[in-house]
Amino acid sequence: MQVIVRRWFLVAVVIVGLSLGACSPSKVTSQNTTDSSTAATTGTSVAQVTNPQISSLPQLEGKATVVLTVKDSPITIEVDGTNAPITAGNFVDLVERGFYDGLVFHRVVREPQPFVVQGGDPQGKDPNVPVERLGTGSFTDPKTGQPRYIPLEIKPKDAEAPIYSKTLEQAGISAPPQLQHTRGAVAMARSSMPDSASSQFYIALSDLPFLDGSYAVFGYVKNGMDVVDTIQVGDRIESAEVTQGLENLKRPESEAEASP
């Protein structure tokens, strides 16, 4: 009975801890669902999927290394654009913009067992916004003045391309994802809408297989999990830097011109 109670508690935590509060994108659509499902089964690359929602987003073609500095200590993340090109590209793009510098971890869940640390809400830079009110913010594109959202992107194991805008269950796929929620996995938080992730991310503190196929993992902590294990609510990302693989980041021409 204790195991059952714990499992239901963790499911509730997923809804509260990984969701973006009341934040919901007003302009995100799932128009790319059919195209992306076809891509996964036929081997069409993400660059060949012609939906504007995808083509207007940065992509990472390959891998990159990002180092977060927290408590004066490095956390090294290998970002996987091979298996999650849009999700990884979004993260690397935001790191390169300096977006994460100074942001706080606003959710940390370790009881009844290690779960996640979550950050990336831009409201965290405002000292007048208390930590307990964070969790609804998104990245605002300086060119458009609008929030930038990315589609849910999950690549089934051994598939040639990801599924977009659907969980694997919704897509009727029983295979596990290529990138799974093992300890140290880095993934995007989102609301109940599949295509609502923007800037908030979380790091898994333990293996969380029940999240597989529902949330988009895009990398793994390679060094510094001992630092992650000490993170508390309110701790800040002192800096975030792309140390390798920046040449793999491909921005749309308009984005490249707008970025610093």
Side-chain angles (χ1 to χ4, degrees):
M1 178 63 71
Q2 184 178 12
V3 173
I4 295 174
V5 170
R6 279 191 173 187
R7 181 171 181 81
W8 279 107
F9 176 85
L10 285 174
V11 170
V13 168
V14 170
I15 297 172
V16 175
L18 300 183
S19 296
L20 307 183
C23 176
S24 60
S26 59
K27 295 186 178 181
V28 172
T29 68
S30 295
Q31 295 174 348
N32 56 326
T33 299
T34 302
D35 287 343
S36 59
S37 298
T38 302
T41 56
T42 63
T44 304
S45 71
V46 69
Q48 294 173 299
V49 178
T50 58
N51 184 270
Q53 185 188 11
I54 290 180
S55 61
S56 64
L57 294 170
Q59 298 180 29
L60 187 70
E61 299 177 354
K63 295 188 177 181
T65 301
V66 167
V67 177
L68 307 181
T69 301
V70 179
K71 298 183 176 183
D72 295 321
S73 300
I75 300 169
T76 302
I77 300 171
E78 183 181 77
V79 185
D80 189 345
T82 300
N83 293 299
I86 292 175
T87 315
N90 177 71
F91 183 74
V92 171
D93 175 66
L94 293 180
V95 170
E96 182 63 13
R97 290 172 182 265
F99 174 86
Y100 290 112
D101 296 351
L103 295 188
V104 302
F105 288 96
H106 60 274
R107 288 194 179 109
V108 177
V109 181
R110 291 195 174 91
E111 297 297 337
Q113 62 189 64
F115 187 49
V116 302
V117 299
Q118 181 176 330
D121 186 335
Q123 300 173 103
K125 289 186 179 179
D126 185 346
N128 296 318
V129 178
V131 173
E132 57 269 20
R133 285 177 52 192
L134 299 178
T136 62
S138 302
F139 166 67
T140 297
D141 189 323
K143 188 178 190 319
T144 65
Q146 298 296 319
R148 184 174 82 190
Y149 298 104
I150 61 174
L152 179 62
E153 176 183 54
I154 302 175
K155 183 178 179 181
K157 191 172 181 61
D158 297 326
E160 295 190 29
I163 292 291
Y164 290 97
S165 301
K166 289 183 177 182
T167 66
L168 293 191
E169 181 179 7
Q170 290 170 338
I173 295 176
S174 59
Q178 184 70 38
L179 303 178
Q180 300 180 22
H181 282 81
T182 56
R183 171 173 159 82
V186 186
M188 295 301 291
R190 61 176 178 85
S191 74
S192 59
M193 297 177 66
D195 296 349
S196 56
S198 179
S199 61
Q200 293 186 47
F201 68 95
Y202 61 89
I203 301 174
L205 296 175
S206 62
D207 293 352
L208 305 172
F210 56 92
L211 297 183
D212 287 344
S214 295
Y215 291 85
V217 174
F218 61 89
Y220 295 91
V221 173
K222 292 302 181 182
N223 290 291
M225 273 305 293
D226 56 329
V227 181
V228 176
D229 287 334
T230 68
I231 291 175
Q232 302 294 330
V233 170
D235 286 344
R236 292 190 180 273
I237 300 172
E238 295 154 20
S239 66
E241 180 183 4
V242 184
T243 59
Q244 293 181 16
L246 184 58
E247 68 278 4
N248 294 328
L249 178 64
K250 310 302 179 185
R251 293 187 176 108
E253 185 175 343
S254 59
E255 280 249 342
E257 292 172 355
S259 63

